[in-house]
Amino acid sequence: MSHIKIRGGHSLHGEIEVQGAKNAALPIIAASVLNNGMVRLRRCPQIMDVHHMLRILQQSGARIMWDDGDVWVKTDQMDTVAVSSLDAGKMRSSIMLLGSLLGRLGEVRLPYPGGCVIGARPVDIHLAALTQMGAKIKLEENGIYAVCRSPHGAEIHLPFPSVGATENVILLAVKAEGETILHGAAREPEICELCRFLRSMGARIRGEGSGRIVIEGGQQLYDTEFTVMPDRIVAGTYMLLLAATGGRIRLREAPVEQLDSLWPGLSELGVE
């Protein structure tokens, strides 16, 4: 699509279901490769970043099937350690495959992540944390080459609560031998959702939502079915759009508990 044309001057009326959260779905899809079997994700958002991530898994040997908003990911034949730059270079979230593919295959060659650029967004925090768990990492001209045949638990202190680094540590720690304690962890709802998904496969994780997360590695993982939480950013966008245009809308499956910070501002704008 080369452009978007908007005709204003109309208030909004109607009802819509809030889609599954992209920022939860992407790390969950990455985490699905840790299980040597089948994962079913309900309410998975059908957006470009999700399709890019799924194509990356297909290129590594996974089988993908969509069924009316649900996606099935079958990973028992995954064996390719080199990730193509065709899709990985289009999305920032491809970096989280570093932890999950290391945990699954013990080796990965990953192109430098692409996608939107918000500040520098370096990945050195990710690499330093994974190195503490036994990964050997080499920065090459076109990407990152990493080997970690026997990941082990570690006590890791992140210099700031990076969401991506938190996710990568959790993903590798699930497959590591022993206990990993992560200090300075990110606390976003997507981190909690990733941990909830991993627990549904048999992982042992506690402390998500706080700055200290503990992962007991080496647990046997198994197939699971999981519903992706609704997207608070999408829900908030609809509500702010209503504040701008007027009208009345109903949002189904809205994550009300994650939107508390919006209520005072919307009230001041005259929104009920």
Side-chain angles (χ1 to χ4, degrees):
M1 182 182 296
S2 60
H3 67 279
I4 298 174
K5 186 174 183 179
I6 302 167
R7 290 181 179 173
H10 301 280
S11 59
L12 299 182
H13 297 273
E15 182 173 326
I16 192 167
E17 181 174 308
V18 179
Q19 70 185 45
K22 179 199 79 167
N23 290 336
L26 292 173
I28 287 172
I29 292 170
S32 69
V33 310
L34 296 174
N35 171 51
N36 188 28
M38 177 77 79
V39 167
R40 179 185 184 182
L41 298 180
R42 299 190 184 93
R43 285 168 43 93
C44 190
Q46 298 193 47
I47 59 177
M48 288 308 300
D49 274 8
V50 167
H51 289 301
H52 288 317
M53 183 69 85
L54 290 172
R55 277 198 293 264
I56 291 171
L57 298 194
Q58 283 182 306
Q59 293 158 10
S60 296
R63 284 172 283 175
I64 308 297
M65 182 183 73
W66 282 98
D67 178 23
D68 192 27
D70 295 356
V71 63
W72 300 78
V73 183
K74 198 170 192 302
T75 60
D76 58 329
Q77 296 183 22
M78 289 190 67
D79 58 4
T80 303
V81 300
V83 174
S84 168
S85 61
L86 183 61
D87 289 289
K90 297 177 180 177
M91 54 183 299
R92 182 71 191 178
S93 301
S94 61
I95 188 63
M96 65 188 63
L97 288 166
L98 189 59
S100 62
L101 288 177
L102 274 180
R104 170 63 185 267
L105 302 173
E107 179 183 3
V108 62
R109 178 169 272 110
L110 185 71
Y112 291 117
C116 61
V117 177
I118 303 175
R121 300 183 80 174
V123 297
D124 55 331
I125 297 174
H126 303 236
L127 306 185
L130 298 183
T131 298
Q132 289 181 252
M133 302 169 69
K136 307 290 187 193
I137 297 174
K138 180 181 179 182
L139 299 181
E140 300 179 332
E141 181 179 353
N142 297 317
I144 301 166
Y145 176 66
V147 177
C148 192
R149 305 293 185 196
S150 301
H152 55 76
E155 188 157 358
I156 299 171
H157 296 260
L158 295 181
F160 70 89
S162 162
V163 172
T166 298
E167 290 166 343
N168 260 325
V169 168
I170 292 171
L171 291 169
L172 184 56
V174 165
K175 285 293 188 178
E177 187 68 29
E179 183 178 80
T180 297
I181 303 174
L182 178 60
H183 301 275
R187 307 184 185 197
E188 276 78 354
E190 292 80 13
I191 299 294
C192 299
E193 190 79 340
L194 173 62
C195 293
R196 193 164 69 90
F197 169 75
L198 288 167
R199 273 199 298 270
S200 78
M201 288 202 299
R204 293 183 181 175
I205 305 171
R206 63 183 187 273
E208 70 275 10
S210 74
R212 182 179 181 272
I213 300 177
V214 180
I215 307 101
E216 298 178 35
Q219 308 303 316
Q220 180 67 39
L221 302 182
Y222 42 80
D223 296 356
T224 189
E225 297 187 8
F226 189 84
T227 301
V228 179
M229 72 178 190
D231 197 317
R232 70 187 190 280
I233 299 174
V234 170
T237 300
Y238 285 140
M239 289 191 289
L240 291 169
L241 184 58
L242 178 72
T245 65
R248 180 189 294 269
I249 60 173
R250 180 189 297 272
L251 300 180
R252 300 194 309 275
E253 303 296 335
V256 176
E257 70 283 354
Q258 297 177 18
L259 296 167
D260 287 347
S261 60
L262 266 182
W263 308 140
L266 289 171
S267 180
E268 289 182 22
L269 293 172
V271 179
E272 296 180 3

